[in-house]
Amino acid sequence: MARDTRAPVDVHVAPGEDGTVRIGAGPAFGQDVAYDDAVAVGPDFTRAVLDVAGAVLTWPVLDDPGPPSAEVHDTGRAQQWLWALYGERVAAAVHDCAAGEPAGVRVVADSTALADSAARLAFGHWAARWWPASYPDGIPALDPDLLGLELAALTHRCQQLFDAEGDQPDDCVAELIEEHQAALDALIQWWRATPQPADTARRLESVLRLVDDAADSVGLDGPALRHLRASLDQGRPVVTPVDPGALFARHDGYALAAGEPLVAGGRVIARGSGTNDWCRYPPGFVDAAENAVSWTARAVGARRQIEVEVLAHVTAPVAGAPLVAEIRVNGGRPNRMSLARRDDMWTGRADLDLSAGVTQPRIEVGVLLPGFDPGRDPDGPDPPGHPGTSGEAEARADRDAIRALVRRRLIAAAQPLAYEASPHDASPGPFLAETAAAATGEDY
């Protein structure tokens, strides 16, 4: 069995605004950098976040594993988990800081089982939102029901982080189980067909037992859960091995929507790729490939038109989703154009306002869901990372880094460990949804 050999890590405990206490972890806090600047480095999709009792925990997804940074807004509620997550020294430093002294200290945080489980839970929620599934990039989507069941299991394991005052973990666990229990039968088949002592078999059984215990603790019942309990009581009879990729394969056909098909015509005056900013729409709408957004500008007689095509995610809604393209010409005010889902594309066409004599217009195109796009003022400047801003190159580099991270995880998921890992293992292995996704291989 592997042993935890990680060295303790220094964190910075200091007072924040409005009576908060802030715990800074990671390399940035070794410098003279404000907490907000250090935690908020990079776009939203580069951070994993957990809202826990009395605090918000944050991990940088692209950095090495370590303790989270925290903004503690209720130290009384947070004391129930601070010692178990960071160790007694950090818990004492937070208590002293809340009492008014000292002003700021560096203190050693211990490596704990709760910290590992919390980091895994946060990453699972990150994956549910930001996993860059893409057909052209060869990154398979994660099965949402399989991931949801493991998140329910992890939430139950991390219940010390939550309380009934504001977080209501029981309701969260019950909702996750009820929403994703369709995957239970396939998960049981996979567990029964996986030979011991493979690490995957240990994870499968752990998730199933945690889901069963969580469902029992909140009083859930039903055919799928009764089958789960009977299967766990029966044990693991020898059965024919199964392919997890086939068990959880999606069979989403692209349905034909009512959008007007784009028809080639006129003289092409410009074409290019747009910006695919993941922050501007929910998961499951647009393929995450960097070149998923493309456009063509045409001269049709005296008119100028732009056609936009956006590669759809395999689970994208066929109708009822007001996805739009945002178009900016020569740095002017952005204009929005509705997109309709047809087969594997979102498409749309609109007139283009070009000044007389302009033969090589500078056109920037992005895609978003109105009302979802965070922090967006239509009359104000674009946030960093949106088309036409100086931060777009950095945002694209971050998206590329996320794709590289995901590819490494899928490679690891295709080669499960053959031993039982320690609960304190700094690399606790892939999610079951990642293992199933990796098994799709070239079929994706």
Side-chain angles (χ1 to χ4, degrees), residues 282-375:
F285 273 65
V286 176
D287 187 287
E290 200 63 39
N291 59 354
V293 183
S294 60
W295 56 268
T296 302
R298 300 178 185 275
V300 184
R303 298 170 61 191
R304 300 294 182 265
Q305 290 187 332
I306 186 168
E307 302 164 352
V308 176
E309 295 184 326
V310 180
L311 187 60
H313 191 281
V314 293
T315 62
V318 174
L323 199 68
V324 303
E326 188 173 73
I327 304 161
R328 187 193 301 270
V329 180
N330 296 326
R333 180 181 175 81
N335 294 301
R336 292 182 176 181
M337 174 182 72
S338 297
L339 300 174
R341 166 81 185 278
R342 176 173 290 275
D343 295 335
D344 61 347
M345 304 291 290
W346 297 94
T347 62
R349 180 197 292 118
D351 287 339
L352 197 61
D353 184 14
L354 290 180
S355 302
V358 175
T359 58
Q360 294 183 328
R362 179 167 57 86
I363 299 174
E364 296 151 353
V365 177
V367 60
L368 65 127
L369 185 71
F372 177 87
D373 194 24

Side-chain angles (χ1 to χ4, degrees), residues 345-416:
M345 304 291 290
W346 297 94
T347 62
R349 180 197 292 118
D351 287 339
L352 197 61
D353 184 14
L354 290 180
S355 302
V358 175
T359 58
Q360 294 183 328
R362 179 167 57 86
I363 299 174
E364 296 151 353
V365 177
V367 60
L368 65 127
L369 185 71
F372 177 87
D373 194 24
R376 187 71 174 87
D377 178 4
D379 297 318
D382 288 317
H386 286 204
T389 68
S390 59
E392 168 52 22
E394 290 82 357
R396 178 166 184 163
D398 286 328
R399 293 193 292 268
D400 287 340
I402 291 294
R403 293 186 188 95
L405 168 69
V406 164
R407 289 191 176 101
R408 290 195 301 271
R409 292 184 65 91
L410 289 171
I411 291 172
Q415 302 171 343

Side-chain angles (χ1 to χ4, degrees), residues 26-89:
F29 291 94
Q31 308 164 14
D32 186 17
V33 179
Y35 178 92
D36 289 336
D37 294 335
V39 170
V41 170
D44 289 348
F45 60 79
T46 62
R47 297 187 293 277
V49 179
L50 271 186
D51 190 359
V52 300
V56 175
L57 308 178
T58 307
W59 291 259
V61 172
L62 294 171
D63 286 356
D64 292 333
S69 296
E71 181 161 1
V72 183
H73 53 80
D74 188 330
T75 54
R77 293 172 62 201
Q79 283 296 335
Q80 72 184 41
W81 52 262
L82 273 169
W83 64 272
L85 186 72
Y86 292 103
E88 293 183 8
R89 287 165 290 197

Side-chain angles (χ1 to χ4, degrees), residues 34-354:
Y35 178 92
D36 289 336
D37 294 335
V39 170
V41 170
D44 289 348
F45 60 79
T46 62
R47 297 187 293 277
V49 179
L50 271 186
D51 190 359
V52 300
V56 175
L57 308 178
T58 307
W59 291 259
V61 172
L62 294 171
D63 286 356
D64 292 333
S69 296
E71 181 161 1
V72 183
H73 53 80
D74 188 330
T75 54
R77 293 172 62 201
Q79 283 296 335
Q80 72 184 41
W81 52 262
L82 273 169
W83 64 272
L85 186 72
Y86 292 103
E88 293 183 8
R89 287 165 290 197
V90 175
V94 170
H95 179 272
D96 292 344
C97 188
E101 57 179 293
V105 296
R106 298 198 69 84
V107 63
V108 175
D110 297 330
S111 298
T112 67
L114 182 59
D116 292 337
S117 295
R120 187 170 176 82
L121 176 59
F123 188 88
H125 282 294
W126 175 90
R129 169 64 182 94
W130 298 113
W131 185 266
S134 170
Y135 191 85
D137 284 348
I139 298 177
L142 302 182
D143 183 272
D145 290 328
L146 184 54
L147 181 60
L149 287 178
E150 191 158 3
L151 288 177
L154 282 166
T155 303
H156 186 60
R157 176 182 288 169
C158 294
Q159 56 188 309
Q160 186 174 1
L161 289 171
F162 310 100
D163 62 22
E165 183 174 331
D167 307 287
Q168 299 180 344
D170 289 346
D171 291 346
C172 176
V173 171
E175 182 178 335
L176 283 167
I177 294 174
E178 289 183 317
E179 182 179 354
H180 302 293
Q181 61 181 307
L184 274 174
D185 285 350
L187 192 57
I188 293 167
Q189 290 181 55
W190 188 9
W191 169 59
R192 285 179 163 177
T194 303
Q196 294 280 14
D199 183 66
T200 300
R202 180 187 65 84
R203 296 185 193 285
L204 285 162
E205 182 166 355
S206 174
V207 168
L208 289 170
R209 293 195 180 279
L210 281 168
V211 168
D212 177 53
D213 186 60
D216 183 63
S217 68
V218 296
L220 288 180
D221 197 9
L225 291 169
R226 288 195 291 271
H227 179 219
L228 168 61
R229 288 158 192 161
S231 299
L232 290 171
D233 290 341
Q234 182 183 3
R236 301 176 68 254
V238 178
V239 298
T240 304
V242 298
D243 175 11
L247 274 177
F248 297 96
R250 302 190 65 89
H251 303 287
D252 300 281
Y254 284 116
L256 199 63
E260 178 187 2
L262 299 183
V263 179
R267 174 173 55 87
V268 174
I269 57 176
R271 57 163 41 104
S273 294
T275 298
N276 192 9
D277 185 346
W278 303 338
C279 293
R280 307 192 77 183
Y281 49 79
F285 273 65
V286 176
D287 187 287
E290 200 63 39
N291 59 354
V293 183
S294 60
W295 56 268
T296 302
R298 300 178 185 275
V300 184
R303 298 170 61 191
R304 300 294 182 265
Q305 290 187 332
I306 186 168
E307 302 164 352
V308 176
E309 295 184 326
V310 180
L311 187 60
H313 191 281
V314 293
T315 62
V318 174
L323 199 68
V324 303
E326 188 173 73
I327 304 161
R328 187 193 301 270
V329 180
N330 296 326
R333 180 181 175 81
N335 294 301
R336 292 182 176 181
M337 174 182 72
S338 297
L339 300 174
R341 166 81 185 278
R342 176 173 290 275
D343 295 335
D344 61 347
M345 304 291 290
W346 297 94
T347 62
R349 180 197 292 118
D351 287 339
L352 197 61
D353 184 14
L354 290 180

